[in-house]
Amino acid sequence: MREHLERVAVVLDEVMAETAATGVLTPWEHVDWLRLHADLLDRLGAAAGDGSGVSGRGELVRDRAERMADRLNRLPSVDVGPGQQAVEQLAVSGDPHLFRGEPAPDQ
């Protein structure tokens, strides 16, 4: 069942990112969309259990949503370095290899 939930999370990531990339969302709708994405990943992570490739991914997406909301509110935020940005991009890209500690397959 864990593998199935991880595959669902990958598809969820793809669909959520694809929809956000259409550009039809206002900035605040995008924040809400990221929060929804995080909530869904949290539920999948809880169902899959600790140590799954899904657990913890929701928190990365939620952090991104909150930073975006802070920027929209013009609140000062902690500067994020390129390493953290790369982790976030991989977190929402749906690459399950990152979360299992495996190298990504050659494409």
Side-chain angles (χ1 to χ4, degrees):
M1 178 160 157
R2 182 179 276 189
E3 269 185 34
H4 180 70
L5 292 171
E6 289 174 4
R7 285 193 311 251
V8 170
V10 169
V11 172
L12 173 68
D13 286 339
E14 291 171 356
V15 170
M16 297 295 280
E18 186 178 296
T19 302
T22 62
V24 297
L25 300 174
T26 67
W28 281 109
E29 288 173 332
H30 194 167
V31 169
D32 287 339
W33 193 249
L34 289 170
R35 288 174 177 159
L36 172 63
H37 187 178
D39 290 344
L40 294 171
L41 286 172
D42 285 344
R43 289 176 182 256
L44 286 170
D50 290 337
S52 76
V54 182
S55 61
R57 289 170 62 182
E59 192 59 34
L60 294 172
V61 176
R62 185 171 289 99
D63 287 346
R64 182 174 173 215
E66 296 315 312
R67 277 196 310 279
M68 184 178 211
D70 287 347
R71 282 193 305 271
L72 290 171
N73 285 324
R74 291 180 168 52
L75 295 176
S77 63
V78 176
D79 216 9
V80 177
Q84 180 62 26
Q85 289 173 349
V87 169
E88 286 177 13
Q89 288 170 354
L90 288 170
V92 297
S93 73
D95 184 358
H97 298 90
L98 171 74
F99 297 99
R100 289 195 295 255
E102 301 170 359
D106 294 332
Q107 295 184 8

